[in-house]
Amino acid sequence: MPSATAERWQRQLDAAGPAALTVGVIGDPVTHSLSPQLHMAAFAALGLAGRSLPFTVPAGKAAEAIDTLRTLGLRGLSVTMPHKEAVVGLVDAVSEAAGRLAAANCLVNDDGYLSAHTTDGDGLIRSLEQELGWAPAGQKAVVVGGGGAARAVIEGLSRAGVTEIAVINRSAQRAEAAAAVGGPVTRVGGLEDLGSADLVINATPVGMAESPGLPTPIELFRPHHLVVDLIYQPATTEWLRGAAGAKATAVNGVPMLLYQAAIQIELWTGMPAPVAAMRAAVADHLTPPGANSG
Ligand code: NAP
């Protein structure tokens, strides 16, 4: 039995044609993005005739892409590097969270009225809540990194009720700027903050093949830590192996990837995202056979 929302979408598709539920991903590079597969799996599981396509849009061309979104009447866009900041100044409305970050990763087109949203921070939080039963209230966090992912996570954690966030980053200036995003509960910290932290997050590329190394020394992990590496390729970094070895709870970047896309699906369709179907659609791409996904 199709839901009322699915029936509404079907009527819109019949009336407006395929653009009514066509979405895209803009970025450069974008060809290896898993987002179209996540979106398509969601549309299929929801019984919607939607589609999602990757579009390579070079730096400086976000305005043209947004004109196309309006002109063609697409339902929305996922936005990745290098356009996350530029799109905020090109739409009709910006969510509070995206405004605080001055960056967005999702655009929604309501009959020509465009709004910009950010789903990375909430995606991480929802993934930990749903998959581990984690609750942010009263928790102390250390975030390693000061780039776009770190800022999104800091913004989300501070809004969710985490009581203390210490930011550790290579360059002091970006650490300060990222900490400012989290308001009064957030400050620039150091490795000494790890001991009392509940949640430790790597939001740097350190641990990927092209950037080997450890974001923090693994000797500092303790069993009470929830350790999250936002990296999802490789599925298990040396840092996460160190966390598991110290009997901490270790989580890779897959759940955040999944849930940030799930929230985008909900923004576009108004329907609860079918997370299991979305996870199955990308599982083969993320976890090499026999690997421990962390
Ligand atoms: P970004 O904006 O380029 O920021 C990278 C940050 O890492 C910067 O703060 C940078 O420090 C730091 N960094 C880079 N190389 C370093 C090194 N060799 N040593 C120490 N610090 C280093 O990147 P981003 O978009 O925030 O992405 C960061 C990571 O998160 C990437 O691995 C990305 O794949 C991952 N991510 C995952 C998801 C997910 O859904 N799981 C979503 C978004 C991002 P400086 O400020 O000193 O340059």
Side-chain angles (χ1 to χ4, degrees):
M1 180 86 165
S3 70
T5 318
E7 281 177 358
R8 180 175 60 77
W9 271 113
Q10 195 53 56
R11 278 199 301 278
Q12 281 195 233
L13 287 169
D14 291 344
L21 196 46
T22 297
V23 299
V25 186
I26 60 165
D28 189 11
V30 79
T31 44
H32 292 102
S33 170
L34 294 171
S35 293
Q37 282 156 271
L38 287 164
H39 302 154
M40 293 293 281
F43 291 144
L46 292 171
L48 300 172
R51 72 220 74 212
S52 177
L53 298 162
F55 297 111
T56 301
V57 176
K61 295 283 184 191
E64 285 88 334
I66 285 182
D67 279 348
T68 307
L69 173 64
R70 281 187 211 275
T71 308
L72 299 184
L74 307 183
R75 178 59 179 147
L77 291 175
S78 276
V79 181
T80 185
M81 295 303 288
H83 304 301
K84 287 186 173 186
E85 288 84 14
V87 296
V88 167
L90 298 166
V91 294
D92 303 301
V94 178
S95 75
E96 269 186 49
R100 268 192 292 275
L101 291 174
N105 72 340
C106 180
L107 305 182
V108 180
N109 180 5
D110 288 306
D111 299 323
Y113 184 85
L114 302 189
S115 55
H117 308 261
T118 175
T119 68
D120 277 336
D122 287 346
L124 172 73
I125 291 163
R126 204 199 284 186
S127 75
L128 299 178
E129 288 172 337
Q130 303 267 311
E131 311 232 330
L132 296 176
W134 181 78
Q139 294 278 293
K140 292 183 181 179
V142 167
V143 176
V144 186
R151 291 166 63 89
V153 161
I154 290 165
E155 193 282 329
L157 289 173
S158 64
R159 187 161 33 86
V162 165
T163 46
E164 203 177 307
I165 305 171
V167 181
I168 304 175
N169 189 49
R170 179 176 60 181
S171 81
Q173 200 184 358
R174 274 180 108 189
E176 292 281 359
V181 164
V185 298
T186 312
R187 61 180 167 77
V188 175
L191 291 177
E192 65 280 6
D193 288 301
L194 282 164
S196 62
D198 306 294
L199 173 65
V200 185
I201 297 174
N202 174 35
T204 78
V206 177
M208 297 180 78
E210 58 274 26
S211 190
L214 293 166
T216 64
I218 57 178
E219 296 73 28
L220 299 177
F221 286 134
R222 296 291 176 264
H224 73 271
H225 283 148
L226 168 54
V227 178
V228 184
D229 199 335
L230 301 194
I231 293 171
Y232 48 85
Q233 279 170 328
T236 307
T237 57
E238 188 187 347
W239 193 66
L240 274 192
R241 266 192 294 277
K247 304 214 176 333
T249 303
V251 178
N252 69 9
V254 174
M256 173 172 163
L257 178 74
L258 199 56
Y259 282 81
Q260 62 78 29
I263 297 170
Q264 297 193 0
I265 288 293
E266 292 174 359
L267 286 167
W268 290 323
T269 68
M271 300 165 83
V275 173
M278 294 171 73
R279 187 196 312 272
V282 295
D284 288 351
H285 298 268
L286 294 169
T287 310
N292 167 15
S293 63

